[in-house]
Amino acid sequence: MALNIPGLVSLSVFFTFTLATGIWASWKSKKDQQNRNPTEMALVGGRNINVCIGLFTATATWVGGAYINGTAEIVYLPSKGLLWVQAPLGFALSLVIGGFFFVNPMRSKNYVTVMDPLQETYGNVMGSLLFIPPLLGEMFWFAAILASLGATMRVILDIGGSLAIILSASTVILYTLLGGLYSVAYTDVIQLVFITFSLWVCIPFAMVNSATESIYYTATHEYYQDPWIGKIEKQYLGRWLDDFFYLVLGSIPWQTYFQRVLSAASPGQARFISYLSGLGCFLMAIPSVLIGAVAASTDWNKTSYGLPSPYERGESAMVLPFVLHYLCPAYVSIAGLGAIAAAAMSSADSALLSASSMFAHNIYRKILRKQATEGEVLWAMRISMLVFGAGAAGLAFYSSSVYDLWFLSGELVYALLFPQLCCALFIPSTNTYGSAAGFLVGLLLRLLAGEPALKIPPVIHYPGCTLMNGTYTQLFPYKTFTMLLTLGTIIAVSYLAVVLFQRNLLPRRWDVCNVLGETHTLVPLRWVDKWTGTQTAALQENRD
């Protein structure tokens, strides 16, 4: 296949336009920065993002390249199908629950990042440990997005996936570095509009292609493969529920989400943005579902792709670009490529800004250099953007499955961070001892459960653990079980620690985390013996 020159030119125009929008937003943020904290402008837009922009950026954050590619892939897979596409409903419910329960507690104390309540409740040392799961999550998320974009460009433009990854990462890093949240939010508007328009333009051409059977018929009838509607067999119900709760609850404790709601002008606007973006996220999955259904209804032997099918070749992760390239006219497939590029960049910039924001605000300012000026914090944020962006781009070269990487990116956040955030916001009596114990228990249980995507065999075989094609698969809802056990450990150990110290079952001088709210210091005490007149010195414990 020859290099697609028109497609390359169109994509270059789109990248240039996106970069120009980001630079303009950066200029606008500097203009609005008068009498405002520059760090707060970069991290949460000065808490002045209007509802319309906030809605677009909150929706675009979740509707990324992994989202639209992964949704089409799951619908297409004969072993999965539509009933296994949980992300649209899961993300929608996540945004609704987040708006209902989490927005007010976060806004009432003017937090800047999701790590703020954790550091406030459990201290900086524990906060630095809890920073690791979301950092890894954001980097895996960024890598998954870049990988999906690279695979798409390789199919449609016939250029190296590595070149696409480097160009995309460089563009995202540049405009995010220049304008912070303002640049991310305004480019998200352009990108979300482009995603919606481009994918819907491609769908009619793909559905009427002569190689494609009616998706209404193939939804319930076996034709080229099993019906794309899919089914949930009884033995897989636990795994289905586990994945669903993971998406619903595990999508809440992300800085990408809170960065949007914390940037709104008021708590009411923040809740409204959260609710409505949930609906937008759900609706944006429809084009990908239709494209996945078309792929499942296509006789690939009638296309230039030929046989065997993408599933038989192990290329199911790229069915969306395959449909655009082999079932649509060239000029239409270019529009679809633009949609995927827009989706990739809309989530990549959010992940990059999220990771660098937490590092600059929660690690550099609060731990490494507590006397840092606003300028120092901004430079720490920019340097960390370069480091995290380069790391994620490097990881993208080694990703083999978009959907596996997408799921893997949030498992530690679900198992470790969600229980910690719930306790910090809603159970203020929990303390650092409980937090540390919960972290260790959750991390240990998750690692011992194994990870097929990384070829890590399970040490703990939960009920229903079966050997499939040489790989052990956990059918028990172990992710949710781990999360609940982490939550229970935090509460139980916190209560136990307080009881032990209050009842003097453990010496209070061992309370290194000061959970009783007392500071124990030794102060000099002097007195004069009334018989001899001798002055005596001693040390007395003083509690303030």
Side-chain angles (χ1 to χ4, degrees), residues 146 165 218 228 292 342 445:
L146 294 175
I165 289 171
T218 56
W228 61 263
L445 286 177

Side-chain angles (χ1 to χ4, degrees), residues 55-56 58-60 62-63 67 88 91-92 95-96 192 196 272-287:
L55 176 61
F56 272 94
T59 304
W62 296 114
V63 183
Y67 182 86
F91 285 171
L95 290 164
V96 171
L192 193 63
T196 306
F272 181 76
I273 288 171
S274 192
Y275 298 148
L276 211 56
S277 62
L279 176 62
C281 186
F282 180 82
L283 295 177
M284 289 298 296
I286 296 176

Side-chain angles (χ1 to χ4, degrees), residues 68 79-80 91 103 145 227 233 274 379 394 435 462 468 491:
I68 63 174
S79 58
K80 298 286 187 178
F91 285 171
V103 166
I145 293 165
E233 297 178 356
S274 192
W379 274 108
S435 175
Y462 289 100
M468 299 180 180
I491 298 171

Side-chain angles (χ1 to χ4, degrees), residues 431-465:
N431 54 52
T432 310
Y433 299 112
S435 175
F439 183 90
L440 292 175
V441 168
L443 181 62
L444 185 63
L445 286 177
R446 180 61 196 92
L447 293 177
L448 293 179
E451 179 51 59
L454 297 179
K455 302 186 185 306
I456 301 175
V459 176
I460 300 177
H461 291 248
Y462 289 100
C465 182

